Amino acid sequence: MTIRSEVKKRTVEMLAHAGLLLTEEEQEKIEIADMGLGHLEVEGLQLFTYINTDRYCAKELVLFPRQTCPEHLHPPVNGEPGKQETFRCRWGTVYLYVEGEATPTIQGIPPAGKEDVYTARHEIILRPGEQFTIDPGTKHWFQASDEGAIVSEFSSTSRDEYDVFTDPLVRRLEGIDL
Amino acid sequence: MTIRSEVKKRTVEMLAHAGLLLTEEEQEKIEIADMGLGHLEVEGLQLFTYINTDRYCAKELVLFPRQTCPEHLHPPVNGEPGKQETFRCRWGTVYLYVEGEATPTIQGIPPAGKEDVYTARHEIILRPGEQFTIDPGTKHWFQASDEGAIVSEFSSTSRDEYDVFTDPLVRRLEGIDL
């Protein structure tokens, strides 16, 4: 099996376990984002976009155990405010960090050697049925607990190519396509 | 038990069966919309709104067996195009009807005596993992199959008070609150 087919299979299985079904055609469109960093299991995530119109977007985010989405923010685009997004945990636990007052002891662990590009330290822990809305322009990163996590994302239009990452090495649109 | 607590319990159980968990606080906010028609099991639906900002909205729609959401459309509001919405079936089967070429034989059954206020006859059948996006200003109605249905709705901002129903007897914001 290719890496893509293995990761896709694992993603589909996690979603199905949480009662979230994708058609075969949809499964082919799962995005495996390693963001050009080359260590998907550490930094990256798996996504499926249900719909992304010029008005709204809905996605499912799948994170393997301790997999981390690098810190970023959504800037204004074409005179429109940056993306506003609501994360709702469906399965597992997700540790979400946003700009703001630092939580004294956090559960998430920034990837080794990358502490300086994971600056947000205000912790929000989301378990199934819990949600949080991230305002536009707010730096954030998130990590799954030891069991992994599935997060539904409801948002304004998604324009990933404009996302601003703290880590200059990130190439948001790079992933595993084959 | 009051009617509200019975309907709420049934709604929460259907959602949980599909893996969709609501916190206790959220359960209290379930909307039971009989729309002033007084026969909830025939015309009406149960809704939970995860989030509704000035940019996007996400809801869960729960329909009991053969329960029907009356025909309506979402008009432009304050110079903004009407609500655009994506229905994704999570559980059961939903028969969705939109304006357009009539399907010769449809699976949905307009409520008896109400055929004239259920005019859309273009059928889209949605099973778990299937979705359809309804453009603004398009008349639509939907009915659950004999087993009921759960539908995730992703959309632009929801402004239910402006919805235009074909049946003049409908009062969209009326429901069972006690």
Side-chain angles (χ1 to χ4, degrees), chain A residues 35-37 43 70-71 114 165-172:
Chain A
M35 307 193 187
L37 298 173
E43 292 179 292
E71 182 173 285
K114 292 270 192 141
F165 283 81
T166 308
D167 182 353
L169 297 177
V170 166
R171 303 284 172 264
R172 168 64 185 88

Side-chain angles (χ1 to χ4, degrees), chain A residues 28-45:
Chain A
E28 293 308 314
K29 293 178 186 158
I30 289 172
E31 184 185 351
I32 301 172
D34 78 349
M35 307 193 187
L37 298 173
H39 55 179
L40 178 72
E41 301 255 346
V42 179
E43 292 179 292
L45 76 165

